[in-house]
Amino acid sequence: MRALSSLLVLAALPAVLAVKREDFKTCSQAAFCRRGRALAERAGQNPDWKSPYSVDPASISIASDQSTLTASVASSLYPEIKFGLDVRVHKDGVVRVRMDEVDGKGRRYNEAASWALLAEPETSKDIHWTVGKKDVKATIGPKKDKLEIFVSFDPLVVKLYRDGREEVALNGLGLLHMEHFRTKEEPQPAVEGGTEAEGAQTVMKVPNPRAWFEGEEEDGYWEETWKSWTDSKPKGPQSLSLDISFPNHGHVYGIPQHATRLSLPTTSGQDAFYDDPYRLWNSDVFEYLSDSTMSLYGSIPVMYGHSKESTVGIFNAIASDTFIDVAHPDDHSSYTHWISESGILDIFILPGPKPADVFKQYTGLTGTQAMPAHWALGYHQCRWNYVSSSDIRAVQQRFDEDDFPVDVFWLDIEYAEEHKYFIWDHKTFPDPVEMTNDVAAIGRKMVAIIDPHFKRVESYPVYKEARDLGIITKVKDGQTDYEGWCWSGSSAWVDFFNPASWGWWKGLFKTVQTSSDKFSWTESTNDVHIWNDMNEPAIFNGPEISMPRDNIHHGGWEHRDIHNLHGMLYHNITAQAVRDRTDPPMRPFVLTRSFYAGSQRFGAMWTGDNLGTWEHMTVGVKMVLSLNIAGFSFSGSDVGGFFGNPEPEMLVRWYYVGVFSPFFRAHAHIDTKRREPYLLAEPYKSIVRDALRLRYSMLPIWYTAFRESSVNGMPVLRPHFVVFPEDEAGFAIDDQFFVGGSGLLVKPVTEKGVTEANVYLAEEQVYYDYFSAHAYRGAVKGKNITVPATLDKVPLLIRGGSVLATRERPRRSSPLMKYDPFTLTVALSTAGAARGELYLDDGISYSHEAGAFVWREFVAATNSKTVRIESRDLAREKPGEAVDGVALATYDEGNAFARDIQAVRVEKLVVLGLAAKPSSVNLAGGKELDWEYTAGVAAGASKEGVASRLVVKNPGATVAADWEIIVQL
Ligand code: NOJ
């Protein structure tokens, strides 16, 4: 059935567009994964299965500050091999479980967490340990919401309980296997001079007592050949298998990046949805499938288990090739099996208990989404390629003539002479600085691509300097520079794990010459930001289009150990370079294709080379939701699809997907037809213009959502289970979502020929159509409603109880909106209340970290015949909290930014759902305001229909000040 449906999808695509599946390994083509899955199979068939790993009770030691337990672990299969276990509890209740081989013949890679983590977490001292005969127990936190960790001795199992309910188990199924370092046994030579019978004896097979666990064969222990590549494995087998169960959670989410649903379908067990496990191995998968467990460009090994009782999570800090099987033996439990090629066991258990808690715990570890520059939330226009400076100028002119707002024009690889990044091709870009200045004159920016492959020619200073510094990634001998093939032909890859590369890389981005003998990008300006592509790394002649696993990085680590971190390090150092090229530093924008846990600290990502198909448009929404809950909110997919020539209907729908993506960029392959929005015929052209204007009008909402995300880790896009964690009917919903905490609920249309859409409402509340103010009613147990979804309408609802702050004046770019007035829309709840937030700062610098921001709360309350709408200073309301490192108690309302925008007005106030026509509308202490009322359905009524609407023009209020508007009914 499953196989049949994928065939149908493939058949719908033009013949040329299909992934080369055979370029990428399945589990059965990777020896370590074969071994891991075979282990699970043996366990499944053996009712007496028992993990051979156990804790030596005599070795248990609890740190004097109570924070950490350490113990010795051994495997009954190899009693002489010793492992060390370390269990510690962080201040926020996160439990870190680490295990590594001690005094072994080798060193397992143990640095993934140090790259992913923001800082070394503080441990808790508020733990009570009880060492028993069979286990050791830790009790954390208050009695009511008690967390307990059990570390069972024989076999070794770690479990987390909340209020007596099992939340997470490590090795509960006994699949833990840390392949220890061993010495390669050379095959026994035939006995010389012996009799035939004696010779025969030497090769006779001795039964392997460990075969029940390890299997009979040494499958790919020391070398592995795949296609034309041979992977030498000087360290031998070092894989890590571990089962992680969520025995009381029927849904698991996370582990992006895969083209699949948000609630992860099964890969093992009866009637598994997919055959192959989810894979995390950052790869340049050309023309990827729209429904698959194949690995894609990035990996975030965080997974959440969810049920209506609780949400829990795990972050598995591993950077090597990892396959993950998912099984749901029933609707209420989830079992997962993680098989990695190398690395230590380093698991962080995120105790929850609600989605907001796991997000806070995960981003507490790996950092929150970097607060973007405000302009980066505008519309980005890209294609491979704008071919010359005059092309860029002409495109900009057309955008302006046709009144399409846009903030950024992008340059793909063809700007660079022979793909030598930083070096302009002067035949086509003779005047890069003047071109950028022409774009910047309208408040806009440019983004140029800088890929990590450097053309190996002496005349290219970037390559030459890197080579002379000795910072190029080495082949397996650890000495010789690795050479591979990419856009620039024969290329080298800088080893960004080498600290000697960091200062050098940052120097390249200085737009003023700093040193006479070093290259710096003086033919650029501070209005040029950066795109990091191909950083998996993509290498055309390498295994699985990447780097050989036995290549060597700084510290002697093999590429196999660090592969999934590679893209993040490049992104990290590039973002630092762009930030620090000016004094004071400015917020950088760096887009990355490859990523890992923590990449959200450095900028934005996109979902790579999607196809211009409805299936890709659909799955792109799910992928972006998955990224949002995995900490990486600043994400989006290529609007229009990278490959193909979307028909106008598809392009229009895709624009609306983009309007509601945190990162909004149109992009297209070099072979596609031009498809800038001004090229569309009517009515498509006007619809796209409206879509872009909608995005720009909502920039304050996006910015406020990003600000919240950057402070507490809440995703910018919030799927249903996040907003309604107890509503089971919403747990699998991944085609509609909320924008931040704004109350905007959107369901982009990703199907052809649609005029209506179903939207699920999870609660008994009024929801207003954003455009028509039609009031719909949800129900306690959830309800599907039908809303108009003609081509010019994206299904967009405002949840009753919200206040939206928008800016409605069309401009050519977002910086031109800085002093524009606001419209406030108060969408009353059934109880007659509403609340919303607005965050503003200068949008480019870090002065907000020193308190230069405005953070408002708008609150509406109904009291018998009066509705009061108040604007409050939220910073003042929350004196106990610290935001952006600024203690709100010391927050200065008269800060420089607040002063700068003090004249910015509220030009319009709209109240939806009033119960009756007002008798008066006043600014508190002021005279009657100019208002208009249109009768309609009241928020608290039970009927549906267009809501009543009060419009107050120029209420005499400014956006950064306190005020109150009183509506008398
Ligand atoms: C691959 C990227 O995914 C794509 O977006 C880009 O246009 C090409 N590389 C060329 O740079």
Side-chain angles (χ1 to χ4, degrees), residues 924-945:
K927 57 180 176 51
E928 175 88 23
L929 297 169
D930 180 11
W931 56 273
E932 239 177 65
Y933 177 79
T934 317
V937 168
S942 54
K943 53 175 189 191
E944 302 203 332

Side-chain angles (χ1 to χ4, degrees), residues 2 14 16 31 41 45 61 116 189 355 377 401 424 459 548 623 758 837 875:
R2 170 84 203 130
V16 282
E41 211 173 295
Q45 286 162 1
S61 157
L377 301 183
E401 281 168 4
W424 294 93
S459 57
M623 292 166 78
N758 282 327
E837 290 186 18

Side-chain angles (χ1 to χ4, degrees), residues 372-375 587 703 840-845 897:
H374 184 270
W375 56 264
R587 283 180 238 175
Y703 201 59
L840 298 164
D841 61 24
D842 77 2
I844 45 172
S845 77
F897 175 73

Side-chain angles (χ1 to χ4, degrees), residues 96 98 108-120 240 299 301 315-322 340 342-348 362 365-366 497 557 560-566 568-569 596-599 601:
R96 183 175 190 177
R98 254 188 300 191
R108 301 179 80 91
Y109 185 64
N110 61 0
E111 294 177 1
S114 64
W115 293 109
L117 262 49
L118 189 59
E120 190 55 40
L240 175 64
S299 300
F315 165 47
N316 184 356
I318 205 140
S320 65
D321 197 359
T322 297
S340 302
S342 70
I344 64 163
L345 187 157
D346 197 357
I347 307 262
F348 297 79
Y362 174 67
L365 291 168
T366 63
F497 288 83
W557 299 114
R560 84 182 80 248
D561 298 320
I562 59 83
H563 176 84
N564 286 343
L565 294 165
H566 189 275
M568 179 166 79
L569 263 70
Y596 185 72
S599 287
R601 307 199 296 271

Side-chain angles (χ1 to χ4, degrees), residues 126-130 137-143 146-149:
D126 186 19
I127 312 162
H128 183 71
W129 298 90
T130 322
K137 179 173 102 173
T139 314
I140 312 162
K143 269 220 172 88
K146 192 171 63 177
L147 282 177
E148 288 166 312
I149 308 158

Side-chain angles (χ1 to χ4, degrees), residues 26 35 59 86 97 595 624 660 808:
T26 57
R35 300 200 294 271
S59 69
D86 180 310
V97 181
F595 55 89
V624 168
F660 289 99
E808 306 288 343

Side-chain angles (χ1 to χ4, degrees), residues 610-751:
N610 56 0
L611 313 187
T613 64
W614 294 99
E615 290 81 4
H616 270 264
M617 196 193 307
T618 308
V619 81
V621 172
K622 302 173 198 299
M623 292 166 78
V624 168
L625 288 181
S626 178
L627 285 152
N628 269 253
I629 63 164
F632 214 163
S633 281
F634 203 4
S635 50
S637 43
D638 283 349
V639 167
F642 181 63
F643 296 107
N645 295 304
E647 53 183 309
E649 178 188 352
M650 184 189 286
L651 194 54
V652 168
R653 292 300 195 188
W654 217 316
Y655 266 97
Y656 271 111
V657 169
V659 165
F660 289 99
S661 299
F663 173 56
F664 179 18
R665 182 186 75 154
H667 183 41
H669 188 272
I670 197 164
D671 295 336
T672 59
K673 294 194 190 122
R674 290 268 171 142
R675 48 162 117 123
E676 288 68 24
Y678 49 75
L679 295 171
L680 283 164
E682 292 295 359
Y684 308 105
K685 182 170 168 174
S686 295
I687 299 175
V688 171
R689 184 185 298 108
D690 288 347
L692 291 174
R693 287 183 173 175
L694 182 64
R695 169 73 173 208
Y696 276 73
S697 71
M698 290 183 168
L699 285 176
I701 294 173
W702 286 101
Y703 201 59
T704 303
F706 266 94
R707 177 10 179 58
E708 189 186 349
S709 186
S710 76
V711 171
N712 66 14
M714 277 303 279
V716 167
L717 297 189
R718 301 182 188 168
H720 257 259
F721 86 90
V722 172
V723 183
F724 302 101
E726 286 163 31
D727 176 29
E728 282 175 302
F731 292 173
I733 292 182
D734 55 11
D735 56 0
Q736 59 177 63
F737 50 84
F738 289 85
V739 179
S742 69
L744 279 176
L745 172 61
V746 59
K747 177 164 186 175
V749 175
T750 60
E751 264 173 84

